[in-house]
Amino acid sequence: MQTSIATSPTEGKSYYERHGPMTAPTRTELTTFVSQVDIRLVPMLCILYLISHLDRANIGNAKILGLTEELGLSGMQYNIALSLFFIPYVLLEVPSNILLKHFTRPSVYLGTLIVSWGIIMTLTGVVRNFGGLLTMRLLLGIFEAGFFPGSVYLCSRWYMPRDLATRVAAFFCASALSGAFSGLLAAGLNKMDGVGGYSGWRWIFLIEGLITVVLGVLTFFLLVDSPEISTKWLDQDEIRYLVIQEFIKEGGKFKEEDKKTSWKDVGDMMRNWRIYLLSYIMLCQSACNYGTKFTLPTITEAMGFTGTNAQLMTVPPYIAGAISAVLFSKLSDRYYWRMPFVAAPLLLIVTGYAIIMGLKGRLEANIGPGYFAIIIACMGIYPTYPATASWAMNNLAPSKRRAIGSAFNICMGNTGGIIGSYMYLDKEAPTYPTGFGLSLAFGGSALLVAVLLELSFAYGNKRNARLTETEIREAYTDEQLLAMGDRSPFFKYTL
C-alpha cells in the first residue's frame, strides 16, 4: 500500500466520505482484486447470457426437427413467430434499465426475470398451435428484455471503462457458444423423440426451460450486487476503492447525490447524434447475427447435411465466433482503441457474405468454400457487438446517462433482430439472395459508419484541446461542466 486519501466522516455524506481514509492499492494488489471481481461476476453473467441466447434461438433447431409441420406453420408464420420476440424486447430495454437502478440488489431483479422466462420456455414445449407459439414468444421477449442491458450496466459499476470491452466480450463469447450448445443439445434431445408422448423438438424447450429456471434461482444467491453491499467478500478498503472508482467515472460527483433519473438525462442522451450511429452498427450486427442463428441449421441442410449431422455442423462456426470475440476484445482493451476492433470484424462479415453470394446458391456443390465463408462471417459477427457496446459506454457520461444510453443503444441495435427474422425466407432456399445480400449490405454500411464515427470523435478531441483549462473555467461553473457530461470541453472521447 502506498498512499492515503483522507475524508471527513460526516453524517449525511457519501459512502466514501462517511467511512474515512483508505490506502490506495499497489498494481499487484489491484490486479489480484480485479481478478477476484472477475471470478465472482463474469462467469455467472456469461452462463446466464448463454442460456438467454439458447432460449431465444433454439426455435431454429426445433424447426428442422418438426416444429413447423406439427404446428401447421407456413413459412411466413414461422418468420412472424421469430420477430414477435423482438417487439417487447426492444421496447422494454430502456425502461428496464431505469427500473434496475432503483434496486439495491440487482440479483433479485435479474433473477426474477430469468426464472420467469424459464417458465415461459418450458411452456413453449407444450403449445399446440400458432397462437400458443406467438404468445410464448411475446412473453419471452418481455422477460428477456432487461437482462443484457442490466448485465452491461452492472459490469460498468465494477470496472473502469478501459476494462469493459473484454468483460462484455465474454457475454458474446457465451452468445456464440450458445449456438454451438444449441446444435449439440438439439442433436441429443432429438433422441428423446416420442418419450412421454412428446416430439423431439418439444423436449428442446422443456429441458432448456427447466435448466433456465434452476439458473434463475441460483442467480439470487450467486450473482454479486453493488460494491457497497458486498461486505462478505470485500474488505472496507476494497469497497472504498470501488466507490472512488465510481466517483472518478462520475466526473467528481457521487452517485448518492442524485439518484433520480430525470427527463433531462433522457433528453441529453437522445440529442447525442453519435449514439444513433453506434446503434446502427449494433443493428447491422444483430440483423446478421439473428438471421444466421435462426437459419444456420437450414443452411447446413442446404449443403446436403441432414438430421443430427445438420445440427452438429452448426457448432464449428460458433466456436470460431467465440474465440474471435475474446481475441478482438482483449486487443481492444489492451490498446484502448475501439474503432479498429469494430472495423476489422465488419470486414470479415463483408468477406464471408461476399463469398457466399459468389456461390449463387450452389452450396451443396461448394460445401468447402460455403462452410468456410460461414465461419468467416461468424468470426466477424461476434466481436462487433461487444466492441461497439464498449465504445458507446466509454463515450457516455455520467452514469445515469450511461445507463440510459447503453440500454437505448442495445435496444435500437436489437431492432436488427426483427429484420433478421425476415431476411431468410423459405421460398428463397437454398440461394437466400435476400438474406445473404442484406447481410453483405449491413456489414459494408456499418463499416463506413465506424470510420465516420472515428473521424467525428477525433475531431471532437481536437476541438476540445484548443481551449485551455483557464478559458473553460471562466466560461462554465463546475455544476455546468458536470451537467454537460460528454459535451463538456474536459471530456475526452475514446477513439
Side-chain angles (χ1 to χ4, degrees):
M1 296 294 182
Q2 295 173 334
T3 60
S4 178
I5 305 172
T7 65
S8 172
T10 307
E11 285 297 323
K13 297 294 185 180
S14 66
Y15 182 96
Y16 169 51
E17 293 170 312
R18 288 197 306 269
H19 288 78
M22 67 160 281
T23 50
T26 65
R27 182 179 294 275
T28 302
E29 289 169 336
L30 183 57
T31 301
T32 303
F33 169 54
V34 172
S35 298
Q36 188 181 7
V37 175
D38 283 340
I39 291 169
R40 291 179 177 269
L41 179 63
V42 177
M44 188 63 184
L45 287 178
C46 285
I47 292 169
L48 296 174
Y49 193 60
L50 184 151
I51 201 70
S52 74
H53 266 263
L54 204 65
D55 289 344
R56 77 183 66 167
N58 55 15
I59 189 172
N61 300 98
K63 178 188 178 185
I64 68 170
L65 296 180
L67 176 145
T68 53
E69 291 81 7
E70 190 167 331
L71 297 186
L73 306 185
S74 68
M76 188 52 68
Q77 285 178 323
Y78 173 74
N79 292 108
I80 291 170
L82 294 182
S83 65
L84 195 62
F85 165 87
F86 291 98
I87 295 174
Y89 188 82
V90 167
L91 294 176
L92 296 177
E93 283 182 306
V94 173
S96 179
N97 244 28
I98 292 173
L99 181 61
L100 174 63
K101 284 170 60 62
H102 295 281
F103 276 76
T104 304
R105 293 192 58 207
S107 59
V108 173
Y109 180 70
L110 296 177
T112 302
L113 293 180
I114 296 162
V115 170
S116 299
W117 92 60
I119 294 170
I120 298 304
M121 181 54 50
T122 305
L123 293 175
T124 305
V126 297
V127 297
R128 296 296 175 185
N129 51 46
F130 177 54
L133 182 63
L134 288 184
T135 301
M136 294 301 107
R137 295 292 292 180
L138 182 68
L139 291 172
L140 186 65
I142 290 172
F143 289 109
E144 276 208 39
F147 176 72
F148 180 63
S151 297
V152 173
Y153 176 66
L154 185 59
C155 282
S156 75
R157 294 289 312 278
W158 288 90
Y159 298 105
M160 291 297 282
R162 69 175 300 118
D163 300 320
L164 196 58
T166 301
R167 277 74 187 182
V168 176
F171 299 160
F172 277 84
C173 175
S175 171
L177 290 176
S178 76
F181 278 116
S182 185
L184 291 171
L185 279 173
L189 293 174
N190 188 40
K191 298 184 183 298
M192 295 182 66
D193 187 39
V195 174
Y198 290 114
S199 306
W201 69 265
R202 292 185 181 276
W203 281 109
I204 292 176
F205 295 112
L206 291 168
I207 298 298
E208 291 179 11
L210 290 173
I211 292 171
T212 303
V213 171
V214 171
L215 287 172
V217 172
L218 291 177
T219 300
F220 293 109
F221 305 100
L222 300 181
L223 184 64
V224 298
D225 294 298
S226 62
E228 292 91 335
I229 61 173
S230 299
T231 55
K232 290 184 178 179
W233 61 281
L234 293 175
D235 63 36
Q236 289 301 317
D237 273 357
E238 289 170 333
I239 292 175
R240 276 174 274 178
Y241 170 77
L242 286 166
V243 175
I244 292 172
Q245 180 174 279
E246 185 70 13
F247 178 89
I248 294 168
K249 288 186 287 185
E250 292 297 305
K253 183 176 182 179
F254 280 106
K255 181 175 178 287
E256 294 182 19
E257 293 176 18
D258 186 9
K259 293 184 178 180
K260 292 183 178 179
T261 300
S262 67
W263 285 108
K264 183 181 183 302
D265 294 313
V266 177
D268 287 342
M269 187 279 301
M270 296 291 287
R271 287 194 296 271
N272 184 343
W273 61 272
R274 292 183 179 93
I275 201 72
Y276 295 98
L277 296 184
L278 288 160
S279 295
Y280 179 74
I281 297 175
M282 296 178 80
L283 180 150
C284 293
Q285 188 276 348
S286 290
C288 295
N289 180 20
Y290 286 111
T292 301
K293 187 167 282 189
F294 289 144
T295 317
L296 189 53
T298 308
I299 293 173
T300 56
E301 269 197 328
M303 291 178 175
F305 301 100
T306 57
T308 299
N309 287 335
Q311 301 282 9
L312 293 176
M313 288 303 291
T314 65
V315 175
Y318 291 123
I319 297 292
I323 295 170
S324 178
V326 172
L327 289 178
F328 272 107
S329 298
K330 279 188 172 295
L331 289 171
S332 178
D333 273 354
R334 178 179 178 181
Y335 294 104
Y336 198 40
W337 189 11
R338 304 304 186 202
M339 185 282 235
F341 305 100
V342 174
L346 288 170
L347 192 57
L348 289 177
I349 292 174
V350 170
T351 302
Y353 287 111
I355 294 172
I356 294 175
M357 290 291 289
L359 298 178
K360 299 180 179 178
R362 298 190 298 271
L363 297 178
E364 192 167 358
N366 298 278
I367 294 175
Y371 197 66
F372 172 76
I374 289 293
I375 290 176
I376 289 295
C378 285
M379 289 176 66
I381 287 171
Y382 287 98
T384 303
Y385 206 105
T388 309
S390 298
W391 204 7
M393 293 285 282
N394 294 160
N395 288 305
L396 286 169
S399 84
K400 286 183 295 183
R401 226 168 284 168
R402 193 182 307 121
I404 301 167
S406 64
F408 175 79
N409 200 22
I410 294 166
C411 136
M412 291 297 291
N414 278 327
T415 58
I418 299 175
I419 300 170
S421 301
Y422 291 97
M423 282 167 48
Y424 292 87
L425 304 173
D426 284 347
K427 64 182 181 182
E428 294 184 347
T431 59
Y432 294 115
T434 302
F436 293 139
L438 280 174
S439 297
L440 178 60
F442 281 136
S445 60
L447 181 58
L448 293 175
V449 168
V451 173
L452 176 61
L453 273 166
E454 178 78 348
L455 294 174
S456 166
F457 287 136
Y459 172 77
N461 286 341
K462 185 177 180 180
R463 180 192 58 205
N464 288 346
R466 293 174 189 157
L467 298 173
T468 66
E469 182 173 352
T470 302
E471 290 173 329
I472 296 170
R473 295 292 184 188
E474 288 176 351
Y476 304 100
T477 65
D478 288 345
E479 289 74 17
Q480 288 173 325
L481 289 169
L482 213 57
M484 291 169 73
D486 50 86
R487 296 196 305 276
S488 166
F490 283 133
F491 189 84
K492 185 174 181 180
Y493 293 106
T494 300
L495 301 181

